Amino acid sequence: MTPAPQRYVERPPLPELAGVVRTIWIQHTGEAAYVQRHLPTGGVEIHFPIGGRLQLVGPLTGPQIEVIPARTTIVGVRFRPGTAPPLPTTLDDLVDQRLGLAESRGSSADRLGEAMARAATPERALMILQAHLVREFRSGVRVDPLVGEAVRALMPWHPVGIDTLAARLGLSASQLRRRCLRAVGVSPKVLQRTLRFQGFLALAQAGAAASGRRGADGIAGLAADVGYADQAHLTRECLRLTGLTPSRLLGGDIDRCACGHEHSASYRPFLATRGPRDSFKTESAGRA
């Protein structure tokens, strides 16, 4: 019998969660343990290993390595920067942390985990989690609107200075920093760098052709398109955020990462923020 392969597939969230959730996903490991490299995305995540306990992964500033046991199924939700489920503390206290939701949410998290564990399929467990989040956000989970505007402005393609952004929002730079630390977990500058790198990965995953700037093609061209000074600048940031060079992360191929996972739902929000002057050609916009 052929061993079951390792699989990871992302999908868009329910429409009611589109403003706060970037993507949902299901991961199955095969007959061997799988080494997962979690990368900074600017947001927090909820992970639920079927048969285990709900976990919150705080905002990451660097790679986090997890060894997932063989024959494990995990469902998850990745939130947009500046949004999160109800928590007893601000997100700057959770940077690079992983904790059980029951530790912060008590019996409500236990009941949710029990309902998900009884689900007939991983897809059903993920629907139960999404329905729970819809109810929470409808009941008044507060999202800082100015931080939301800041996050949108810090997306890649059209870089903005932090002082300029703060003035545009009617804040001082220090006020913007404090609000971002509370609501996102990291400073505006760190978030901007993280989103720029996610933009590079979005282009790579979409099979994007570089815009054709003189002397720049392949990885160097995509680096220039997303706002890096040059390929060396991209390499430094990639090492800091992932622990790998771009070529190692992408497996030597700029149209897919080495893990072989399906990431199109996760990166679609980044591609959607590009304006007409940033248009590009792709062989397959949803390819992973």
Side-chain angles (χ1 to χ4, degrees):
M1 179 182 296
T2 303
Q6 196 278 146
R7 292 184 293 117
Y8 171 97
V9 177
E10 294 181 343
R11 299 186 180 94
L14 291 174
E16 298 94 325
L17 293 173
V20 294
V21 170
R22 178 173 160 188
T23 186
I24 60 174
W25 49 266
I26 299 175
Q27 181 171 10
H28 303 278
T29 60
E31 297 302 310
Y34 183 80
V35 179
Q36 178 69 54
R37 184 179 298 265
H38 299 288
L39 305 181
T41 65
V44 303
E45 300 190 7
I46 291 177
H47 294 185
F48 181 70
I50 302 297
R53 298 173 71 85
L54 283 161
Q55 302 169 0
L56 179 84
V57 179
L60 299 181
T61 59
Q64 187 179 90
I65 307 301
E66 178 187 11
V67 179
I68 305 174
R71 298 180 296 280
T72 297
T73 297
I74 302 175
V75 301
V77 171
R78 181 171 301 131
F79 289 85
R80 295 177 182 269
T83 66
L87 296 168
T89 186
T90 56
L91 285 183
D92 50 334
D93 287 335
L94 302 176
V95 171
D96 295 323
Q97 302 295 313
R98 179 187 289 260
L99 69 154
L101 273 183
E103 297 174 23
S104 60
R105 305 276 298 276
S107 59
S108 64
D110 283 333
R111 288 193 298 271
L112 174 60
E114 290 168 3
M116 293 176 66
R118 291 194 299 268
T121 65
E123 289 78 10
R124 178 59 185 160
L126 199 46
M127 286 298 298
I128 291 171
L129 176 56
Q130 289 187 90
H132 176 82
L133 292 173
V134 168
R135 290 193 295 271
E136 287 196 324
F137 280 94
R138 280 180 177 170
S139 67
V141 175
R142 187 176 181 277
V143 177
D144 187 328
L146 284 182
V147 171
E149 288 188 44
V151 170
R152 288 188 288 272
L154 292 171
M155 290 288 277
W157 325 126
H158 303 300
V160 60
I162 302 303
D163 289 344
T164 300
L165 174 59
R168 186 187 303 170
L169 296 174
L171 302 172
S172 68
S174 60
Q175 287 173 324
L176 176 59
R177 175 182 171 84
R178 285 195 296 271
R179 288 175 78 152
C180 276
L181 287 173
R182 287 196 301 267
V184 181
V186 298
S187 70
K189 193 63 179 177
V190 170
L191 178 61
Q192 187 177 47
R193 293 165 71 179
T194 300
L195 295 176
R196 178 173 57 194
F197 183 72
Q198 288 285 304
F200 165 76
L201 290 181
L203 293 182
Q205 285 294 325
S211 63
R213 300 182 189 186
R214 187 173 181 179
D217 56 12
I219 288 180
L222 297 186
D225 285 353
V226 83
Y228 290 106
D230 50 33
Q231 188 169 344
H233 184 196
L234 165 66
T235 298
R236 290 193 299 273
E237 289 290 279
C238 189
L239 284 168
R240 183 180 68 83
L241 292 169
T242 76
L244 299 173
T245 63
S247 59
R248 284 193 63 196
L249 181 68
L250 299 174
D253 187 347
I254 68 167
D255 69 358
R256 66 187 63 241
C257 70
C259 68
H261 291 163
E262 165 58 66
H263 295 296
S264 59
S266 183
Y267 293 135
R268 193 172 293 124
F270 286 84
L271 302 179
T273 63
R274 302 191 95 196
R277 60 178 172 166
D278 303 302
S279 61
F280 57 88
K281 298 177 181 178
T282 65
E283 297 176 5
S284 175
R287 184 174 65 181

